[in-house]
Amino acid sequence: MSVPSAAEPLRFAYWVPNVSGGLVTSTIEQRTDWGYDYNRELAVLAENSGFDYALSQVRYMASYGAEYQHESTSFSLALLLATERLKVIAAVHPGLWHPGVLAKLGATADHLSQGRFAVNVVSGWFKDEFTALGEPWLEHDERYRRSEEFIRALRAIWTEDHTELAGDFYRIRDFSLKPKPLNTPERPHPEIFQGGNSTAARAMAGRVSDWYFSNGKDFDGVTEQLADVGAAAAAAGRRVRFGLNGFLIARDTEAEAREVLREIVAKADTEAVHGFGAAVRQAGRSAADGKGMWQDSSFEDLVQYNDGFRTGLIGTPEQIAERIVAYKRIGVDLLLLGFLHYLEEVEYFGKRVLPLVRELEAQLPHTETAAATVPTAAPV
């Protein structure tokens, strides 16, 4: 599978800290804030530092360090209205949203932002969010089946008139949305992202999603997932773009960066990390083949709750830039990044890391194959 190089620069997104507790479940100082004023400043800084996207998290109740949470779609719209170029992805749960209601909200947000709204369809890992609200908790593969039907309904409503659907989870009868979202040269409707590491998630992404988000992975893990998602997409006559999660610690020396990682893990909130691990493993264990998300995550991995340390973006700007471009060479289209101290580190990334990435990209051949050799690197 050939992948574009310098002709299509790697894109960057950041996790919006719209829930309290930061991006690591640790008592280490995190100079970040879940409130709107901080996040508005961060969004403007991020778009001026080279970020293309921001992803608003979705949590509906206190859990594992996230005591307070702002709702993702309304928060995303607020960030869209505070920025000029940044695309904001709102995470949403099928089962807690009807696709027609979300389609209506998304169309309005897309018009208000001149085509910068996107969604991330989250099949769900936190059982208590559903049961506390009186909603049924489906087992793993059924959650992905519902998500696929949700995405098919959402896309149909955004692109067709008189939508009809008699599904197992949703019923739609002669529904026409007006106005529809913007249809731009970049995209015919708001981009649809989807996460999940399981076999069911990979197959579903190939069939219906625009983007597939992976938890943090090393080169071998990314290569495996790219092959699976790419095969599923090819079978459906489609192309799915690939986004990879990573927690970035860039410092002037590698020793400084490694010391930050050591301190994060040493100060982990052990009870919260173990509680999160138990919840997510239960959610993924019911996958038909037992390969749900987080099934092989260690305690250290779970301190960053999307396995962000595994991606290995820890070191000097030069080391990180080389590793980022190595991921691009094997087919990654987007890096979704988390940080310890957001304002300072997003600015540092924009000034010190991103220019090096662009220089290395410019040296790539116009097209490389996904089998391109990648440098070996010591595990994080």
Side-chain angles (χ1 to χ4, degrees):
M1 178 179 66
S2 65
V3 294
S5 57
E8 189 172 332
L10 191 68
R11 304 177 194 188
F12 292 92
Y14 73 92
W15 284 97
V16 174
N18 59 304
V19 304
S20 64
L23 266 287
V24 292
T25 309
S26 174
T27 60
I28 191 172
E29 180 191 16
Q30 298 185 68
R31 292 191 294 276
T32 184
D33 190 276
W34 62 285
Y36 176 64
D37 288 343
Y38 179 93
N39 273 282
R40 177 180 55 198
E41 181 182 358
L42 173 61
V44 172
L45 174 66
E47 76 170 0
N48 290 331
S49 298
F51 281 84
D52 306 280
Y53 295 88
L55 172 60
S56 292
Q57 303 174 65
V58 59
R59 298 257 187 122
Y60 281 92
M61 57 190 291
S63 55
Y64 316 115
E67 184 68 18
Y68 301 97
Q69 323 86 35
H70 282 300
E71 192 276 325
S72 60
T73 60
S74 52
F75 208 76
S76 295
L77 179 55
L79 295 182
L80 285 167
L81 296 179
T83 54
E84 298 177 356
R85 301 176 304 280
L86 192 70
K87 300 168 189 174
V88 185
I89 312 162
V92 296
H93 278 133
L96 300 180
W97 279 92
H98 186 284
V101 176
L102 181 67
K104 190 74 172 177
L105 182 151
T108 296
D110 207 50
H111 279 265
L112 293 176
S113 64
Q114 291 80 50
R116 294 184 288 125
F117 179 75
V119 295
N120 181 37
V121 176
V122 181
S123 295
W125 58 265
F126 187 20
K127 181 178 180 179
D128 291 356
E129 286 182 320
F130 287 80
T131 58
L133 294 173
E135 294 296 325
W137 174 248
L138 306 181
E139 290 305 334
H140 183 277
D141 288 9
E142 283 295 284
R143 293 199 300 277
Y144 279 92
R145 217 163 59 80
R146 176 173 62 189
S147 291
E148 180 166 347
E149 192 173 292
F150 184 93
I151 290 173
R152 291 185 185 277
L154 187 62
R155 179 175 280 114
I157 293 168
W158 275 342
T159 59
E160 303 170 5
D161 288 327
H162 309 291
T163 301
E164 297 275 352
L165 176 66
D168 293 334
F169 303 96
Y170 304 104
R171 307 285 190 277
I172 301 172
R173 298 181 178 89
D174 193 23
F175 182 70
S176 293
L177 176 68
K178 295 180 181 179
K180 297 195 183 305
L182 300 182
N183 182 329
T184 72
E186 264 195 351
R187 29 125 278 195
H189 55 73
E191 293 167 290
I192 299 171
F193 292 73
Q194 169 227 320
N197 283 6
S198 66
T199 300
R202 300 177 199 191
M204 170 189 147
R207 290 190 295 265
V208 298
S209 298
D210 300 318
W211 287 86
Y212 171 83
F213 271 141
S214 171
N215 266 13
K217 293 287 181 185
D218 60 14
F219 295 122
D220 289 342
V222 167
T223 299
E224 177 196 353
Q225 289 190 335
L226 276 165
D228 287 351
V229 174
R238 309 179 66 247
R239 183 199 171 199
V240 178
R241 296 180 183 273
F242 193 96
L244 175 64
N245 179 64
F247 192 84
L248 192 142
I249 306 175
R251 298 294 187 271
D252 291 343
T253 69
E254 182 180 1
E256 289 178 89
R258 297 284 175 186
E259 175 58 22
V260 172
L261 174 61
R262 186 207 63 76
E263 186 181 357
I264 290 171
V265 175
K267 294 182 176 179
D269 183 336
T270 303
E271 182 180 353
V273 174
H274 282 309
F276 174 75
V280 296
R281 288 192 178 105
Q282 183 281 329
R285 196 176 295 124
S286 61
D289 56 7
K291 294 182 179 179
M293 290 175 74
W294 296 288
Q295 294 312 292
D296 61 347
S297 300
S298 68
F299 177 89
E300 179 178 306
D301 295 331
L302 294 170
V303 175
Q304 202 294 301
Y305 42 80
N306 282 95
D307 288 346
F309 301 147
R310 283 187 167 193
T311 307
L313 304 181
I314 297 164
T316 65
E318 292 78 11
Q319 289 172 318
I320 291 172
E322 288 175 3
R323 193 168 178 89
I324 284 173
V325 174
Y327 279 115
K328 177 180 179 174
R329 292 178 65 197
I330 59 174
V332 171
D333 299 289
L334 177 149
L335 263 296
L336 171 60
L337 302 177
F339 302 90
L340 189 65
H341 308 306
Y342 262 88
L343 290 176
E344 301 97 309
E345 297 192 31
V346 163
E347 184 175 26
Y348 186 95
F349 174 84
K351 290 181 176 179
R352 296 289 305 278
V353 181
L354 186 56
L356 297 177
V357 171
R358 298 306 185 211
E359 287 178 15
L360 292 172
E361 282 183 310
Q363 297 169 19
L364 291 173
H366 183 71
T367 303
E368 291 192 346
T369 65
T373 302
V374 297
T376 57
V380 175

